[in-house]
Amino acid sequence: MNNLDFTPFYRSFIGFDHLANLMNAAARNEKQPAYPPYNIEVTGEDQYCITMAVAGFTEQELSIETENNTLVVQGQKDSKDDGRHFVHQGIAERNFERKFQLSDYVKVTGASLENGLLHIALVREVPEALKPRKIAIGNIKQPQLVTDDSAGKQENSKVKTAVNG
């Protein structure tokens, strides 16, 4: 796959450098680790759930952090030798770090560990000011503009009343 050069966009689009960096990172041919396997599920309008298979890990050995629109899930296994000797070890209990790039306004609302599956709940909370709003069509009341002449007359009348009163 050819690498895309986004340099011309940096010159003419202001504030979109974050988007270009994301596209560059996605276009790189870096191999993503396949461990641990995960699902990303849409659970409702603006609600998502990431489910990761983390068999053999406890809550204390897992860490979930968000920083700069990046969700980082880490698993640190204690490197203790408990004397077990495996003929075959198919359950991978190795350390891992998995990163997910989050969209703007996506927040992690909670996490749970159940039957070897780590569930991470996410919700997209768009601020009210950025949500589309419907404008009703009807009569428009024109605002009355105060001109310099009318403002001066009002001030003069106030002065006259204060002097007379």
Side-chain angles (χ1 to χ4, degrees), residues 41-48 122-126 131:
E41 177 182 3
V42 177
T43 57
E45 186 176 335
D46 294 331
Q47 296 179 348
Y48 306 90
L122 304 146
V123 65
R124 184 175 55 194
E125 296 174 345
V126 179
K131 287 184 180 178

Side-chain angles (χ1 to χ4, degrees), residues 1-4 6 21-30:
M1 178 177 181
N2 294 336
N3 287 337
L4 300 174
F6 293 106
N21 290 338
L22 286 175
M23 292 176 68
N24 271 334
R28 281 191 219 119
N29 289 332
E30 296 175 3

Side-chain angles (χ1 to χ4, degrees), residues 109-146:
T109 58
S112 67
L113 182 63
E114 180 181 330
N115 298 328
L117 296 175
L118 176 65
H119 302 282
I120 304 170
L122 304 146
V123 65
R124 184 175 55 194
E125 296 174 345
V126 179
E128 286 297 321
L130 297 177
K131 287 184 180 178
R133 58 187 179 103
K134 190 159 183 116
I135 308 299
I137 300 173
N139 292 335
I140 297 176
K141 294 183 180 179
Q142 294 292 335
Q144 294 182 355
L145 298 176
V146 177

Side-chain angles (χ1 to χ4, degrees), residues 4-150:
L4 300 174
D5 183 18
F6 293 106
T7 307
F9 295 115
Y10 289 127
R11 291 187 296 245
S12 57
F13 291 106
I14 301 184
F16 289 94
D17 52 338
H18 178 68
L19 180 61
N21 290 338
L22 286 175
M23 292 176 68
N24 271 334
R28 281 191 219 119
N29 289 332
E30 296 175 3
K31 289 212 171 214
Q32 293 292 326
Y35 179 77
Y38 66 93
N39 294 334
I40 301 175
E41 177 182 3
V42 177
T43 57
E45 186 176 335
D46 294 331
Q47 296 179 348
Y48 306 90
C49 182
I50 298 174
T51 303
M52 299 179 73
V54 292
F57 284 87
T58 64
E59 289 180 20
Q60 293 75 26
E61 296 169 329
L62 296 170
S63 123
I64 303 169
E65 296 177 2
T66 58
E67 184 180 349
N68 296 332
N69 291 352
T70 301
L71 169 67
V72 179
V73 182
Q74 291 180 324
Q76 278 301 119
K77 266 317 229 184
D78 293 334
S79 60
K80 60 182 179 184
D81 184 15
D82 56 3
R84 300 186 303 175
H85 300 286
F86 296 98
V87 174
H88 171 75
Q89 185 174 5
I91 300 173
E93 292 182 344
R94 62 183 179 264
N95 298 338
F96 69 88
E97 178 180 270
R98 169 83 60 180
K99 293 182 180 183
F100 299 93
Q101 197 65 40
L102 301 178
S103 173
D104 290 336
Y105 314 115
V106 172
K107 308 269 187 269
V108 176
T109 58
S112 67
L113 182 63
E114 180 181 330
N115 298 328
L117 296 175
L118 176 65
H119 302 282
I120 304 170
L122 304 146
V123 65
R124 184 175 55 194
E125 296 174 345
V126 179
E128 286 297 321
L130 297 177
K131 287 184 180 178
R133 58 187 179 103
K134 190 159 183 116
I135 308 299
I137 300 173
N139 292 335
I140 297 176
K141 294 183 180 179
Q142 294 292 335
Q144 294 182 355
L145 298 176
V146 177
T147 62
D148 291 339
D149 294 337
S150 62

